[in-house]
Amino acid sequence: MQKKVYLCSMISEKIAKHLVIGADKLISQASNVVILTHLSPDGDAMGSSLGFKHWLIRQGKKVNVVVPNVFPDFLHWMPGAADDLVYENSKLQADELMEQADLIICTDFNEPKRIGTLGDKLMNLLESRPTLSRQSVLLVDHHLFPADFADVTISYPDSPSASELVYRLISQISVLRQQPFSLDLDTATCLYTGMMTDTGNFSFNSNYPEMYEIVGNLVGIGVNKDAVYNAVFNSYKADRMRLMGFCLYQKMRIFPEYHTALIFLSRKELYRFNFQSGDAEGIVNLPLQIKDVYYSCFMREDKVYPSEVSQAGGSNIKVKISMRSQGDRPVNTFCHDIFNGGGHMNASGGEYYGPIAEAVKLFVDNYANFFRQD
């Protein structure tokens, strides 16, 4: 029999009550739900979408998860992941599911452009309301500056993961409905995976007690945290390990006066190591293991998706930027001001449309204005 876990008020009251009421109304009225998450889905994208899916199914809903493109091999083990529709491979089927849905839930992204061409479909559906489309939209996200496209937006940038926000929302809906709060093991495993991966196994953005109360509840349900860690962090291909060695030996630059490291890879270099989605996961964290390196930046070239053509200004190259830092040294302001991105104080990202050499120059020309020397 599934163990039930009851939450203390400290956790259950984190999201504003009127937003919980609004989200519960959308969920209660819907029978057919589609969940979307961002391009190149990571552990939190998969954890928040799949965790929400399993809970909704227990509420009697028909639920499908649609991801914009393929997700990493080391996340394929997650409960329900095999049933996800990949939009770039199954566009017609996914379009039909979205058109038939009563509710579309968006997790772990703050604006439609973060889901590529899938975002174009979403906005076309919303622009056809109320004459043709019947979809309502719920956004659950933890990034700064959410776009105004959802009927109910639950945005809490202080939360280190969207999976934790999904957990909190489910718990508060249970309180609102005056029902005992309980999760099945599949839901708990997915949400734990999202929380673990988006904090680097609880090594950043995780220094507050409530998170560990939630983790304790999830482990109490039956989540095997050691098995989850092993499935995510100890299941890489040999090519990825060689790529990591190449990054550290040949592609890492250190700027010691500002305690900063930079790694950058062209598409040609990625192909040399048979790069696949997810192989770059965690590379940005590696330089932080070096003594006196407190800021780390990782850049890699990627393709420009059709929905990004207007932003790309004619470029067919996009550079994806990930940044991490330690302690009270923020990187989100740098990402926002220099690379049109943002995120959390110690974990942020951005984009640059153009050759990677230009993105590297932009970094080198500006990092000293944002990072500390002490």
Side-chain angles (χ1 to χ4, degrees):
M1 188 174 188
Q2 181 59 60
K3 187 183 295 185
K4 293 182 179 180
V5 179
Y6 298 87
L7 289 183
C8 69
S9 60
M10 177 176 68
I11 291 177
S12 64
E13 293 178 357
K14 202 70 175 182
I15 300 171
K17 187 174 181 179
H18 73 281
L19 295 177
V20 178
I21 293 172
D24 183 44
K25 182 178 180 181
L26 294 184
I27 291 169
S28 297
Q29 292 176 343
S31 59
N32 190 351
V33 181
V34 169
I35 303 177
L36 311 178
T37 194
H38 61 72
L39 280 163
S40 302
D42 56 10
D44 191 29
M46 296 295 290
S48 58
S49 58
L50 288 172
F52 220 152
K53 171 187 174 178
H54 291 303
W55 180 78
L56 287 166
I57 289 174
R58 292 180 69 210
Q59 310 303 306
K61 313 298 182 183
K62 177 184 177 183
V63 189
N64 289 279
V65 173
V66 179
V67 297
N69 57 351
V70 294
F71 51 92
D73 289 343
F74 59 82
L75 297 176
H76 284 193
W77 63 271
M78 294 180 68
D83 298 324
D84 281 10
L85 272 182
V86 178
Y87 194 66
E88 65 181 7
N89 299 334
S90 306
K91 183 177 183 299
L92 294 179
Q93 184 181 359
D95 284 348
E96 184 177 357
L97 287 174
M98 291 175 66
E99 291 162 5
Q100 295 173 351
D102 305 308
L103 174 63
I104 296 175
I105 298 177
C106 304
T107 67
D108 201 30
F109 67 93
N110 58 353
E111 52 185 336
K113 74 174 185 178
R114 301 297 180 190
I115 57 174
T117 53
L118 185 52
D120 297 336
K121 176 61 179 180
L122 174 62
M123 294 312 295
N124 287 337
L125 284 174
L126 298 185
E127 288 168 2
S128 70
R129 296 191 305 183
T131 55
L132 298 177
S133 177
R134 58 182 179 177
Q135 288 79 14
S136 298
V137 179
L138 168 64
L139 172 66
V140 182
D141 181 54
H142 67 131
H143 297 93
L144 294 169
F145 313 118
D148 185 17
F149 67 96
D151 296 286
V152 175
T153 296
I154 295 175
S155 174
Y156 190 63
D158 287 340
S159 178
S161 68
S163 295
E164 181 179 312
L165 274 182
V166 171
Y167 179 101
R168 292 179 182 277
L169 177 60
I170 292 172
S171 72
Q172 288 183 245
I173 287 176
S174 299
V175 172
L176 182 67
R177 295 177 179 178
Q178 297 183 328
Q179 298 173 346
F181 171 69
S182 67
L183 300 178
D184 66 290
L185 183 56
D186 285 348
T187 303
T189 299
C190 291
L191 296 181
Y192 176 85
T193 303
M195 293 174 62
M196 180 193 73
T197 53
D198 236 32
T199 58
N201 196 32
F202 308 104
S203 63
F204 54 81
N205 291 335
S206 57
N207 193 29
Y208 64 99
E210 290 181 44
M211 170 180 288
Y212 298 98
E213 187 170 349
I214 295 173
V215 168
N217 286 335
L218 295 174
V219 172
I221 290 169
V223 173
N224 186 332
K225 69 178 189 64
D226 296 336
V228 171
Y229 179 91
N230 190 60
V232 172
F233 293 114
N234 293 332
S235 60
Y236 295 123
K237 307 185 305 294
D239 279 335
R240 182 187 183 274
M241 299 303 291
R242 294 188 178 99
L243 173 64
M244 292 169 65
F246 175 72
C247 288
L248 294 173
Y249 185 62
Q250 296 192 34
K251 300 298 297 184
M252 182 172 65
R253 294 177 60 182
I254 304 289
F255 306 89
E257 68 277 18
Y258 283 92
H259 310 285
T260 297
L262 170 66
I263 297 173
F264 54 94
L265 295 170
S266 67
R267 293 184 73 179
K268 183 178 180 179
E269 290 168 329
L270 292 169
Y271 291 146
R272 175 181 170 185
F273 294 93
N274 301 309
F275 182 81
Q276 296 181 11
S277 176
D279 284 353
E281 189 76 19
I283 290 178
V284 67
N285 296 315
L286 296 177
L288 295 178
Q289 299 176 40
I290 301 171
K291 183 180 179 181
D292 295 328
V293 170
Y294 307 135
Y295 302 93
S296 176
C297 179
F298 173 62
M299 300 182 180
R300 66 175 176 90
E301 286 185 339
D302 198 3
K303 65 182 180 180
V304 173
Y305 291 87
S307 63
E308 300 173 305
V309 170
S310 60
Q311 304 165 242
S315 175
N316 63 353
I317 299 174
K318 174 177 68 175
V319 179
K320 295 178 69 69
I321 294 119
S322 298
M323 293 201 66
R324 299 291 185 269
S325 64
Q326 295 181 343
D328 59 348
R329 296 172 173 85
V331 288
N332 52 350
T333 304
F334 179 84
C335 287
H336 179 268
D337 292 358
I338 305 302
F339 291 113
N340 192 34
H344 303 284
M345 184 175 80
N346 298 120
S348 299
E351 297 168 344
Y352 180 81
Y353 293 99
I356 196 162
E358 295 179 3
V360 169
K361 185 178 187 303
L362 198 57
F363 177 90
V364 172
D365 289 346
N366 288 279
Y367 77 92
N369 297 322
F370 290 84
F371 302 163
R372 286 168 27 200
Q373 291 182 291
D374 61 306

